[in-house]
Amino acid sequence: MNNAEFSKEFDILYNNIMSNAAPGLDEYEKSVFLTNAQEGFVKDLYNGTGPTSFEKDEEARRFLGELIDTFETNEKLVGHLGLSRNSMFFQIPEEVWFITYESAVLKDERLGCANGTEATIVPVSQDNFYKIQRNPFRGPTEGRALRLDNSDNIIELVSDYNIDKYLIRYVKRPRPIILVDLNEIDEGLSINGLSEASECELNPVTHRPILERAVMLAKTAWSGGTGQ
């Protein structure tokens, strides 16, 4: 479904469900509802709060296939104060929304024949970090490192051994659905920092559920604002 089809079918569904009682929406307003619906749809698939789950269903993974990407880095950030003397910091792309898989390659002479092996990464909250960091069954080992999230897409990894490379596979935040160039409506309008027209990048199978969700969001917004 291209932008013109999204716009036209939005109007048809919206007018039908509202019985032409609500005021029409401009392209910016429709773009906002479509973008919010798309992001809600992706979150539901990932979290398993919808009819299917990203982790359990091959169909759901295919729905989000266009949003899956992989990133690997061996560049450590310096100048950051960690929660452990063994903390190492890595910058990940700004577009990362949900990490679905991650690992670290350990390169440390103390590992002996295990040097160069992959360690699994276990995300932990800062509250739990001090409880488990010295736990031999849950803390960092030669096969496991801990991950703490920081602001600005900076990852803090805590490992007993030197980390040579950090790899993630992730779901990126989808581009907003922007039906027209928003500067044509009003200079300065943007959605998620973008103003140029942008089509839905998800699998076409997802377009109609996103459209229907967007219309329901618009209905709820109008009904809530009028008390109907």
Side-chain angles (χ1 to χ4, degrees):
M1 192 180 299
N2 59 34
N3 281 351
E5 292 167 330
F6 260 121
S7 180
K8 185 173 182 178
E9 293 199 31
F10 188 106
D11 288 337
I12 293 172
L13 292 178
Y14 182 65
N15 290 333
N16 285 343
I17 200 170
M18 299 302 292
S19 301
N20 295 310
L25 302 175
D26 64 26
E27 298 303 282
Y28 169 68
E29 293 168 320
K30 287 187 282 187
S31 297
V32 169
F33 286 122
L34 285 165
T35 297
N36 288 342
Q38 175 180 240
E39 292 186 355
F41 181 84
V42 171
K43 288 178 181 177
D44 283 353
L45 277 183
Y46 178 77
N47 294 324
T49 55
T52 186
S53 167
F54 177 84
E55 294 296 335
K56 299 179 180 178
D57 194 325
E58 173 68 18
E59 183 181 37
R61 290 192 290 273
R62 291 188 179 276
F63 284 170
L64 300 185
E66 287 77 3
L67 301 181
I68 306 300
D69 210 340
T70 302
F71 173 77
E72 183 181 69
T73 180
N74 60 2
E75 295 184 13
K76 299 184 184 72
L77 302 179
V78 297
H80 292 272
L81 181 62
L83 296 185
S84 167
R85 63 178 182 176
N86 296 326
S87 292
M88 286 162 272
F89 294 87
F90 296 88
Q91 182 78 56
I92 61 175
E94 185 177 347
E95 67 180 5
V96 174
W97 221 14
F98 306 113
I99 295 175
T100 61
Y101 173 81
E102 56 188 326
S103 67
V105 176
L106 304 180
K107 193 171 184 180
D108 196 308
E109 292 181 356
R110 292 174 296 164
L111 289 167
C113 61
N115 194 14
T117 59
E118 266 191 7
T120 58
I121 306 296
V122 180
V124 298
S125 67
Q126 295 185 23
D127 290 340
N128 287 329
F129 174 73
Y130 286 106
K131 299 177 184 177
I132 69 175
Q133 64 170 325
R134 299 189 183 282
N135 186 320
F137 301 103
R138 301 180 63 192
T141 66
E142 65 180 37
R144 179 173 59 243
L146 306 182
R147 186 246 292 173
L148 295 148
D149 294 323
N150 291 271
S151 60
D152 300 322
N153 284 65
I154 294 175
I155 295 295
E156 178 180 354
L157 298 183
V158 179
S159 171
D160 287 342
Y161 303 95
N162 179 61
I163 294 176
D164 182 50
K165 293 181 182 179
Y166 176 52
L167 178 144
I168 61 171
R169 179 160 290 177
Y170 61 93
V171 178
K172 61 184 179 181
R173 186 177 191 177
R175 292 195 310 266
I177 301 173
I178 303 179
L179 299 176
V180 297
D181 187 340
L182 297 180
N183 289 323
E184 296 177 0
I185 301 175
D186 188 0
E187 189 72 30
L189 282 180
S190 65
I191 300 175
N192 294 347
L194 300 178
S195 59
E196 295 183 354
S198 177
E199 296 193 346
C200 181
E201 61 184 317
L202 272 65
N203 189 306
V205 176
T206 69
H207 292 184
R208 191 155 302 282
I210 290 172
L211 173 65
E212 293 171 351
R213 184 173 186 145
V215 171
M216 293 307 298
L217 289 176
K219 174 182 181 295
T220 300
W222 187 84
S223 298
T226 62
Q228 295 184 7

